[in-house]
Amino acid sequence: MSLQFQIEATRGKARTGLLLTPHGEIETPIFMPVGTLASVKGVSQDILEDLGAQIILGNTYHLYLRPGVDTVRRMGGLHRFMSWPRAILTDSGGFQVFSLNELRKVNEEGVTFRSHLDGSSHFFSPESSMEAQIGIGADIIMAFDECTEFPADRARMKSSMEMTARWAARSKKYFEEHKHEVPWHTQREIPTLASPKSGESRMGHPLFPNATQSLFGIVQGGMDRDLRKESAERTIEIGFPGYAIGGLSVGEPRDLTREIIESTLEHLPTDKPRYVMGVGTPEEIVEYANLGVDMMDCVLPTRAARHGLLFTSEGKVSIKQARYTQDAGPLDPKCGCRVCQRYSRAYLRHLYASNEVLAQVLNTIHNLSFYLDTMRRVRHSIRLGEEFGF
Ligand SMILES: [Zn+2]
């Protein structure tokens, strides 16, 4: 047993469900905060627990370079290493390598790339990405894919999609042969430092014995609806417990992102979780959840927070603006987060203007809280059969 997905309520195309992973239950639709380097920048794990984050993301490319897969594996896997008892998902490294542009070379076997840190040369293939993701030990891992650049002509989109399908089959083959090597079951000799607050004292240990990870397939096909359909069919034929739509948010107009998501969803099985990678604004995650997307992740709330851009019920706030210098009100009067309950806009503006580390911490806590709360309200509205929108 590695994953169970159960749909609880539907409203039109939207649905709420429960995704049971080896490290806990996730209510869908869910927003997953990004913890690139085994850390959601600026926010400690106990606060993430308090905010109600049920699953976070790790980036294989970054963890592979620092601290290295072997270190994470020897520390008992990523849950144990970063002291995060709940679910984790890792990407395959494909998208990050894709973003390196001049630093990479792609062929049928895999991708040769240079580290953005020291220029050293590395190679990722479907097999080595699986090996790294098994060593890191997230609950959900992703097939190694090629993210097609935008814009691209049809021939390029087609050949890229076809290679992603072949890589998906290789990813699954390696995963099936090695999935029992996940470090969760060999860590009992590693001492436990402390129990996390929420009573989740089983740190790093899966909820059920012999649980393994789950590998999701990724649909590519660029901005072509027919190629997306073909990619979905080929990925489904290989067979995965969940399906992602990749290759979006690569510079295309937002209307096109939505169109591709909507048309691709029609070709994905309704009884499996559907994950759209790397989206979006608060408005977009609501819109996509309403289309029937179950999982989403994005660096936007955390990255924007570090630049003083805050999402609120009254729209975007740029906290650096002088108009907040003596504003005694809360950042968002409708937000119940610990930042809005305690600090004024004037104080947050002061921290940001003075380049205090605390500015990044508090801004990130609020933005994540706003995203997580938005999805909580979306789930509630689906259960009630009501429309939710901004
Ligand atoms: Zn707040």
Side-chain angles (χ1 to χ4, degrees):
M1 161 62 224
S2 49
L3 201 75
Q4 274 177 17
F5 184 56
Q6 213 181 328
I7 291 173
E8 304 227 293
T10 58
R11 189 211 58 224
K13 291 178 181 171
R15 66 255 197 97
T16 55
L18 277 179
L19 184 63
L20 184 63
T21 75
H23 291 87
E25 207 169 70
I26 297 157
E27 293 172 277
T28 62
I30 188 84
F31 178 77
M32 305 184 282
V34 178
T36 299
L37 271 166
S39 154
V40 176
K41 290 188 199 311
V43 186
S44 63
Q45 280 68 318
D46 55 324
I47 293 178
L48 286 175
E49 285 182 57
D50 283 352
L51 293 178
Q54 299 172 6
I55 175 169
I56 60 172
L57 213 99
N59 290 126
T60 297
Y61 166 79
H62 290 284
L63 292 167
Y64 162 89
L65 292 177
R66 286 186 308 195
V69 174
D70 193 51
T71 295
V72 177
R73 188 176 55 75
R74 284 171 189 268
M75 292 297 103
L78 190 55
H79 297 89
R80 190 70 170 255
F81 178 55
M82 68 181 288
S83 188
W84 175 253
R86 299 181 185 170
I88 304 177
L89 181 149
T90 48
D91 63 3
S92 67
F95 181 78
Q96 243 93 31
V97 170
F98 159 84
S99 324
L100 293 172
N101 292 316
E102 291 98 68
L103 298 174
R104 77 190 146 100
K105 227 175 82 194
V106 185
N107 63 29
E108 184 68 31
E109 196 46 39
V111 186
T112 307
F113 61 95
R114 286 191 180 281
S115 158
H116 72 290
L117 297 173
D118 60 7
S120 56
S121 184
H122 301 268
F123 179 71
F124 269 177
S125 65
E127 292 77 17
S128 68
S129 169
M130 292 304 107
E131 185 185 14
Q133 291 188 80
I134 291 169
I136 291 167
D139 297 272
I140 298 171
I141 69 175
M142 303 303 298
F144 190 66
D145 62 330
E146 185 185 44
C147 181
T148 318
E149 66 283 355
F150 177 84
D153 63 34
R154 195 168 192 280
R156 162 70 189 140
M157 289 190 284
K158 186 170 165 59
S159 66
S160 174
M161 179 275 285
E162 287 170 345
M163 187 163 74
T164 286
R166 293 190 294 273
W167 284 1
R170 281 168 58 189
S171 296
K172 185 178 173 181
K173 182 172 187 291
Y174 187 94
F175 175 70
E176 290 299 331
E177 288 166 0
H178 297 268
K179 62 184 177 186
H180 293 289
E181 294 164 17
V182 71
W184 307 336
H185 305 294
T186 54
Q187 58 184 246
R188 289 179 204 279
E189 61 281 7
I190 300 171
T192 298
L193 296 174
S195 308
K197 28 166 58 166
S198 48
E200 289 156 303
S201 56
R202 59 193 165 76
M203 182 57 71
H205 293 294
L207 290 171
F208 4 92
N210 303 318
T212 54
Q213 301 169 285
S214 294
L215 172 65
F216 280 19
I218 304 179
V219 175
Q220 290 286 351
M223 303 302 156
D224 185 299
R225 296 169 65 136
D226 294 334
L227 291 177
R228 287 277 173 180
K229 176 173 185 278
E230 188 184 338
S231 178
E233 288 166 356
R234 292 174 71 157
T235 313
I236 292 163
E237 203 182 310
I238 298 165
F240 294 95
Y243 296 93
I245 303 176
L248 296 175
S249 283
V250 288
E252 78 281 11
R254 293 299 175 185
D255 288 351
L256 190 52
T257 316
R258 186 204 145 99
E259 188 194 313
I260 294 294
I261 291 173
E262 193 168 12
S263 73
T264 307
L265 285 172
E266 286 170 22
H267 309 297
L268 295 179
T270 53
D271 62 343
K272 298 269 168 37
R274 304 132 146 206
Y275 164 28
V276 176
M277 307 178 80
V279 295
T281 64
E283 292 79 8
E284 285 161 357
I285 61 170
V286 170
E287 193 181 355
Y288 302 154
N290 285 338
L291 292 175
V293 174
D294 305 303
M295 304 164 71
M296 286 168 271
D297 77 280
C298 194
V299 293
L300 185 59
T302 41
R303 185 175 289 167
R306 298 197 298 279
H307 292 103
L309 271 178
L310 302 164
F311 299 100
T312 77
S313 60
E314 296 166 342
K316 258 190 275 183
V317 167
S318 175
I319 200 66
K320 67 186 90 172
Q321 289 176 358
R323 56 196 278 213
Y324 302 121
T325 307
Q326 298 186 6
D327 187 334
L331 172 59
D332 182 351
K334 288 194 183 145
C335 179
C337 88
R338 56 170 80 199
V339 177
C340 293
Q341 293 301 303
R342 184 156 190 164
Y343 306 105
S344 65
R345 288 177 163 184
Y347 182 62
L348 294 174
R349 195 252 165 199
H350 156 70
L351 290 178
Y352 188 83
S354 317
N355 204 20
E356 283 291 321
V357 171
L358 189 58
Q360 304 202 352
V361 174
L362 298 182
N363 291 347
T364 305
I365 291 173
H366 165 79
N367 269 0
L368 277 183
S369 181
F370 186 77
Y371 265 66
L372 294 168
D373 201 45
T374 297
M375 292 311 273
R376 221 171 270 131
R377 289 161 62 207
V378 168
R379 292 193 295 268
H380 188 63
S381 74
I382 296 170
R383 287 185 198 114
L384 293 178
E386 290 168 0
E387 194 70 38
F388 175 87
F390 283 102

